[in-house]
């Protein structure tokens, strides 16, 4: 796709302008209400529907140096975390504009790079107070409410299909108001300097002690000598017990029920709702996959006790376009698509245990394993090379068939490509051959069936063959329904296999890729949350704390002048040190403007605000309140628990109704920030070296107007 033409001012930084232009194309992918895009090929006029940053970049012209760097950063984030790419792309554009504005104001290049880096590092340290521990979410996974049950109560408009063969138990979906929601304890990391609540806390706590029975009073007073963390609460009740927060100088500060709150989530369903980010249908499938994997792990251990590891490498997707959405489900085992020419063979194999062999490479005559050295000084002479090649492949095919028949093998799974000729002959001989199988699938079948992976079938022996595998058809559906091609889905499984397949269906073929991408995004969020045992408070809470923190730093720089220069810049020249006091507030303000643009776009994409100015007004109101409170982190933590806090509970009405909390994964979000700023500073400094070179200074201004310096 060719992007819309944008005016590039060659008198300003070309690379940063190009980054901003690329980033502008993906602003609709930010937030819970995403807008899809139709990408139209100008040459063949074909179109594709996309709703993710990765698919967008695949369709853009990224032949320029800046485009290549941007693509590498996005691909690195996606391949590692599968989430955070939209944040990365947007911040690349926002901070490119910020760096460009700094250049326009005359800020030295080295100061822009150093102050922006230090500012981001300071923000990362500041937002640690918004982390939520989730240590016990899987402890009672069997007895807790499922995602489907909780999400139906929280999202009444969500229609979850029933009777579709899903691997799940029937759930009694009661009104969430008649039950207690997932328990959240208000304990964890204390926030900084809660000045606002000191006097009121002392009065309320003293009054509470006067009403407390003597036994409880004594226990409470005795407890103050050893307790240094905030007491545990339910988020549905308000207590007036004493609370104590540890202060840096070594004494305890007394707080009341109005004290700033930190959260701890102990329920898997609530965690999944918070990480769904407006996509409950995908997260429902993730929830079913996690619970099915937990059941499999419990059967292997003999009980459900102990830490449950969510192994995302043993979860796979099978996309079947052309089928109704209601057929999407989660199944144990491995589901894949095969040609309808094998339908008769599959039916014959359904009623018998199947012996399997696993091939770790290609199943072709000319395949050689990695590191194979062809014998030297050997030359083959033949009158007809074509006849020799044909006869060689036929001989190899016949040899392989003899080996399979000898060991009574009915199923062959190969990691690589499969010879078409061999596949045809195997089908005629009652052997099912499936290629392009992932490594994790081969490993799972090796563990469950006792098979040993081999490089060549001709080297196979009895010890390499696995047993006990079952082959069945997934569903009885018309052969031409799947993508209009004669294919069928088969299920391969065996006793004790640790594999889960998520079948994704859609009647609209153009949406199939988007549906798969969204599933993996939700699965990755949950995986990293459980892996790190912590999440961020979401819904803009982290970003607004970064914004208030940077504004505070900028204000301190203006007031203190040159006093903090040595703390920010080390081993610099006297000229650079003297310039830091002047330019540091400017750079921090520009960096903060990037967060402001991010929050404004986030609010616009929730369909709550009709204009950027309306969203900016709401943000400014929160910033002012946070500054007036004396502790922005305390303000944010308390605002987060309110039903009408739109910026922190995006899209939630003012009605007193249960609302899902929003969570963000920690490391993927922070890495997206770092990658975005690293890319901006790389383009900033690289472009600067080219533009300010000797060759450029010798050119006249008229000549220079025609050059793009990347």
């Amino acid at each position: 796709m060719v992007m819309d033409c944008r005016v590039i001012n060659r008198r300003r930084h070309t690379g940063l302008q190009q980054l901003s232009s690329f980033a502008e194309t993906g602003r609709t992918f930010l937030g819970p209400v995403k807008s899809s895009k139709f990408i139209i090929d100008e040459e063949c006029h074909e179109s594709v529907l996309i709703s993710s940053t990765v698919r967008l970049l695949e369709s853009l012209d990224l032949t320029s140096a800046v485009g290549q760097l941007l693509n590498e950063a996005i691909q690195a984030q996606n391949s590692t975390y599968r989430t955070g790419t939209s944040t990365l792309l947007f911040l690349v554009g926002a901070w490119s504009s910020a760096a460009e504005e700094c250049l326009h104001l005359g800020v030295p290049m080295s100061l822009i790079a150093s102050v922006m880096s230090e500012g981001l590092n300071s923000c990362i340290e500041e937002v640690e107070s918004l982390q939520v521990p989730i240590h016990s979410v899987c402890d009672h996974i069997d007895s807790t409410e499922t995602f489907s049950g909780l999400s139906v109560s929280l999202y009444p408009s969500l229609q979850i299909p029933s009777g579709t063969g899903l691997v799940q138990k029937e759930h009694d979906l009661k009104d969430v108001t008649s039950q207690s929601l997932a328990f959240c304890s208000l304990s964890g990391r204390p926030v900084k300097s809660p000045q606002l609540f000191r006097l009121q806390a002392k009065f309320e706590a003293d009054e509470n002690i006067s009403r407390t029975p003597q036994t409880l009073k004594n226990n409470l007073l005795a407890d103050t000598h050893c307790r240094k963390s905030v007491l545990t609460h339910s988020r549905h009740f308000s207590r007036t017990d004493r609370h104590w927060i540890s202060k840096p100088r070594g004494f305890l500060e007394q707080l009341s029920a109005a004290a700033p709150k930190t959260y701890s989530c102990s329920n898997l369903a609530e965690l999944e709702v918070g990480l769904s980010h407006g996509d409950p249908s995908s997260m429902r499938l993730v929830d079913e996959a996690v619970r099915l994997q937990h059941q499999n792990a419990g059967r292997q251990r003999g009980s459900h006790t102990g830490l449950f590891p969510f192994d995302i490498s043993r979860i796979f997707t099978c996309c079947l376009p052309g089928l109704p959405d209601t057929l999407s489900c989660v199944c144990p085992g491995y589901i894949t698509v095969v040609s309808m020419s094998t339908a008769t063979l599959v039916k014959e194999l359904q009623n018998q245990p199947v012996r399997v062999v696993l091939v770790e490479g290609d199943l072709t005559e000319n395949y050689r394993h990695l590191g194979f050295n062809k014998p030297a000084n050997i030359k083959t002479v033949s009158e007809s090379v074509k006849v020799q090649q044909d006869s060689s492949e036929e001989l190899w095919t016949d040899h392989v068939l003899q080996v399979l028949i000898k060991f009574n093998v009915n199923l062959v799974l190969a990691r690589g490509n499969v010879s078409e000729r061999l596949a045809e002959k195997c089908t005629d001989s009652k052997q099912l051959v499936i290629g392009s199988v992932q490594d994790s699938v081969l490993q799972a079948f090796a563990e469950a069936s006792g098979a040993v992976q081999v490089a060549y079938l001709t080297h196979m022996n009895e010890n390499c063959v696995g047993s006990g595998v079952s082959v069945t058809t997934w569903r009885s559906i018309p052969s031409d329904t799947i993508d209009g091609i004669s294919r069928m889905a088969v299920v391969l499984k065996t006793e004790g296999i640790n594999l889960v397949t998520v079948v994704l269906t859609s009647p609209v073929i153009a949406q199939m890729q988007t549906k798969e991408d969204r599933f993996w995004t939700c699965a990755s969020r949950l995986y990293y949350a459980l892996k790190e045992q912590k999440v961020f408070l979401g819904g803009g809470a982290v970003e607004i704390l970064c914004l208030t923190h940077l504004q505070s730093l900028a204000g301190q720089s203006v007031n203190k002048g040159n006093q903090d220069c040595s703390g920010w810049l080390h081993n610099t020249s006297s000229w650079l040190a003297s310039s830091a006091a002047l330019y540091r507030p400017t750079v921090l303000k520009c960096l903060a403007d990037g967060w402001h643009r991010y929050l404004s776009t986030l609010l616009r994409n929730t369909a709550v605000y009709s204009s950027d100015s309306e969203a900016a007004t709401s943000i400014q109101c929160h910033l002012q309140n946070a500054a007036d409170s004396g502790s922005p982190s305390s303000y944010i933590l308390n605002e987060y628990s309110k039903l009408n806090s739109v910026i922190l509970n995006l899209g939630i009405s003012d009605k007193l109704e249960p609302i899902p909390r929003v969570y963000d994964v920690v490391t993927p979000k922070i890495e997206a920030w770092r990658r975005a700023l690293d890319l901006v500073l790389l383009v900033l400094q690289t472009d600067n070296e080219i533009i300010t070179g000797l060759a450029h200074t010798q050119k006249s201004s008229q000549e220079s107007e025609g050059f793009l310096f990347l």
Side-chain angles (χ1 to χ4, degrees):
M1 182 192 105
V2 178
M3 288 173 46
D4 293 338
C5 295
R6 298 183 184 275
V7 177
I8 301 295
N9 186 350
R10 294 189 177 95
R11 295 187 178 183
R12 302 187 71 169
H13 199 289
T14 303
L16 295 178
Q17 292 181 83
Q18 290 177 341
L19 280 180
S20 299
S21 297
F22 280 122
E24 189 67 21
T25 61
R27 63 183 294 124
T28 60
F29 298 151
L30 195 66
V33 185
K34 297 177 176 61
S35 299
S36 301
K37 291 179 179 290
F38 270 109
I39 303 297
I40 302 175
D41 193 317
E42 290 186 343
E43 295 181 357
C44 58
H45 302 288
E46 294 182 353
S47 62
V48 62
L49 184 66
I50 63 170
S51 61
S52 70
T53 299
V54 176
R55 303 305 170 190
L56 173 66
L57 294 186
E58 289 177 354
S59 305
L60 295 182
D61 181 11
L62 301 176
T63 55
S64 65
V66 171
Q68 290 293 325
L69 291 173
L70 175 62
N71 187 52
E72 289 178 5
I74 295 293
Q75 293 298 336
Q77 177 77 14
N78 183 66
S79 61
T80 305
Y81 302 111
R82 283 185 172 177
T83 184
T85 54
S86 297
T87 296
L88 195 161
L89 181 64
F90 187 91
L91 290 178
V92 162
W95 287 338
S96 294
S97 300
E100 186 184 356
E101 181 64 20
C102 290
L103 285 177
H104 183 65
L105 296 174
V107 182
M109 179 77 59
S110 56
L111 277 178
I112 297 175
S114 60
V115 175
M116 279 190 165
S117 297
E118 292 287 349
L120 180 59
N121 291 334
S122 182
C123 286
I124 292 173
E125 294 178 1
E126 184 71 12
V127 298
E128 288 183 2
S129 61
L130 299 186
Q131 291 181 4
V132 178
I134 55 170
H135 300 296
S136 58
V137 292
C138 291
D139 286 354
H140 308 286
I141 186 174
D142 293 326
S143 59
T144 56
E145 190 174 15
T146 64
F147 175 85
S148 298
L150 186 58
S151 62
V152 165
S153 300
L154 294 175
Y155 303 103
S157 61
L158 174 64
Q159 299 296 325
I160 297 185
S162 60
T164 57
L166 304 183
V167 181
Q168 63 174 8
K169 299 179 180 179
E170 294 294 333
H171 303 292
D172 184 17
L173 303 181
K174 299 179 181 179
D175 186 359
V176 76
T177 57
S178 64
Q179 320 172 11
S180 56
L181 281 174
F183 178 79
C184 272
S185 62
L186 307 181
S187 62
R189 181 189 302 273
V191 296
K192 300 180 180 179
S193 304
Q195 303 283 347
L196 184 64
F197 310 103
R198 289 179 178 173
L199 296 178
Q200 181 183 2
K202 188 176 189 305
F203 173 78
E204 292 183 0
D206 290 343
E207 183 182 12
N208 181 54
I209 289 182
S210 66
R211 298 193 306 263
T212 305
Q214 185 63 35
T215 303
L216 295 179
K217 184 190 304 184
N218 295 337
N219 293 338
L220 181 61
L221 293 175
D223 195 36
T224 61
H225 297 287
C226 58
R227 177 177 292 158
K228 293 186 179 181
S229 61
V230 182
L231 291 177
T232 303
H233 290 256
S234 167
R235 63 188 172 101
H236 301 292
F237 301 97
S238 176
R239 294 184 180 179
T240 56
D241 298 337
R242 279 194 179 189
H243 311 297
W244 304 89
I245 288 184
S246 177
K247 301 300 292 180
R249 295 181 181 178
F251 61 88
L252 299 178
E253 181 179 10
Q254 190 176 359
L255 298 176
S256 71
K261 304 171 182 177
T262 52
Y263 301 88
S264 176
C265 178
S266 59
N267 182 280
L268 180 62
E270 186 190 6
L271 176 64
E272 290 168 338
V273 170
L275 293 173
S276 62
H277 291 195
D279 189 8
S281 59
S282 295
M283 189 58 82
R284 175 180 61 84
L285 295 173
V286 174
D287 174 71
E288 293 171 7
V290 170
R291 293 177 186 274
L292 181 57
Q293 195 176 73
H294 173 70
Q295 294 173 8
N296 294 337
R299 284 193 294 266
Q300 293 176 8
R301 293 192 306 264
S303 66
H304 292 277
T305 59
L307 180 63
F308 165 61
F310 174 32
D311 190 355
I312 198 173
S313 66
R314 295 299 177 93
I315 295 178
F316 303 91
T317 54
C318 179
C319 296
L320 303 178
L323 300 179
D325 286 323
T326 54
L327 294 182
S328 294
C329 64
V330 177
C331 300
Y334 178 63
I335 300 179
T336 187
V337 177
V338 297
S339 173
M340 280 301 299
S341 61
T342 62
T344 303
L345 173 59
V346 171
K347 291 181 180 179
E348 293 180 4
L349 296 177
Q350 283 186 148
N351 301 321
Q352 58 179 315
V354 173
R355 288 164 59 86
V356 62
V357 64
L358 310 175
V359 181
E360 61 184 12
D362 292 343
L363 194 52
T364 58
E365 188 273 334
N366 57 358
Y367 169 76
R368 299 296 181 268
H369 64 275
L370 186 64
F372 173 81
N373 295 321
K374 186 177 180 180
N377 302 323
I378 296 180
K379 181 182 294 184
T380 302
V381 179
S382 175
E383 296 180 358
S384 174
V385 178
K386 181 66 168 61
V387 172
Q388 181 188 9
Q389 291 176 345
D390 292 343
S391 60
S392 176
E393 184 175 2
E394 285 295 327
L395 289 174
W396 173 81
T397 301
D398 293 338
H399 188 193
V400 170
L401 280 175
Q402 292 175 6
V403 172
L404 295 177
I405 294 173
K406 175 183 176 180
F407 294 104
N408 194 24
V409 174
N410 309 107
L411 176 63
V412 179
L413 301 180
R415 183 179 65 179
N417 298 322
V418 176
S419 167
E420 293 183 3
R421 180 61 178 161
L422 176 63
E424 293 175 0
K425 283 198 169 186
C426 285
T427 301
D428 296 337
S429 301
K430 310 303 181 185
Q431 285 104 18
L432 179 62
V433 181
I434 300 176
S436 301
V437 180
Q438 297 95 324
D439 289 338
S440 297
V441 176
L442 297 179
Q443 182 62 32
F445 274 100
E447 295 170 357
S449 68
V452 178
Q453 298 185 45
V454 297
Y456 310 98
L457 282 182
T458 52
H459 294 175
M460 180 179 64
N461 56 43
E462 181 64 31
N463 295 329
C464 300
V465 182
S467 59
V469 179
S470 66
V471 180
T472 57
T473 56
W474 176 64
R475 279 181 179 273
S476 299
I477 54 178
S479 61
D480 59 345
T481 304
I482 304 177
D483 203 9
I485 304 175
S486 295
R487 298 188 298 171
M488 63 181 299
V490 296
V491 182
L492 310 177
K493 59 183 178 180
T494 186
E495 183 68 25
I497 193 168
N498 183 21
L499 281 181
V500 175
T501 301
V502 179
V503 180
L504 300 175
T505 60
S506 176
V508 182
I509 297 177
Q511 291 181 343
M512 198 71 260
Q513 184 65 68
T514 296
K515 194 167 187 176
E516 184 179 21
D517 290 342
R518 288 180 173 177
F519 168 81
W520 284 117
T521 297
C522 288
S524 297
R525 288 198 200 108
L526 182 60
Y527 170 75
Y528 280 102
L530 295 177
K531 179 181 179 181
E532 297 176 346
Q533 294 290 288
K534 59 185 178 181
V535 290
F536 275 137
L537 293 179
V542 174
E543 288 76 12
I544 199 169
L545 181 57
C546 289
L547 179 54
T548 56
H549 181 62
L550 288 175
Q551 290 182 343
S552 176
L553 290 178
Q556 293 173 10
S557 299
V558 172
N559 296 331
K560 292 183 180 180
N562 295 331
Q563 294 179 4
D564 294 336
C565 290
S566 60
W568 280 74
L569 298 171
H570 305 280
N571 300 323
T572 56
S573 64
S574 58
W575 170 82
L576 191 59
S578 62
S579 301
L582 177 63
Y583 292 122
R584 182 169 174 261
T586 301
V587 177
L588 291 175
K589 181 180 180 302
C590 290
L591 187 65
D593 288 343
W595 289 123
H596 196 285
R597 288 180 57 188
Y598 179 94
L599 287 168
S600 179
T601 303
L602 191 67
L603 291 182
R604 282 294 309 277
N605 289 353
T606 61
V608 176
Y609 296 92
S610 59
S611 65
D612 289 331
S613 60
E614 188 178 351
T617 301
S618 176
I619 295 171
Q620 190 58 40
C621 179
H622 281 280
L623 292 177
Q624 187 63 47
N625 293 338
D628 295 341
S629 70
S631 176
S633 56
S634 302
Y635 169 79
I636 291 173
L637 288 169
N638 287 317
E639 277 296 298
Y640 196 83
S641 62
K642 295 181 180 180
L643 294 176
N644 60 352
S645 180
V646 178
I647 194 170
L648 303 178
N649 293 306
L650 300 179
I652 302 302
S653 66
D654 294 340
K655 297 180 181 180
L656 294 178
E657 57 187 11
I659 59 173
R661 299 197 180 279
V662 183
Y663 299 121
D664 284 326
V665 282
V666 176
T667 300
K669 176 179 278 288
I670 291 178
E671 284 302 306
W673 297 353
R674 292 189 188 278
R675 282 192 168 104
L677 187 59
D678 288 345
L679 176 59
V680 170
L681 297 182
L682 175 63
V683 173
L684 169 69
Q685 296 175 91
T686 303
D687 235 15
N688 179 71
E689 293 176 3
I690 299 174
I691 293 175
T692 60
L694 180 61
H696 172 66
T697 57
Q698 293 176 345
K699 295 180 182 293
S700 65
S701 60
Q702 292 182 351
E703 281 181 299
S704 301
E705 288 179 358
F707 286 90
L708 293 176
F709 296 102
L710 272 183

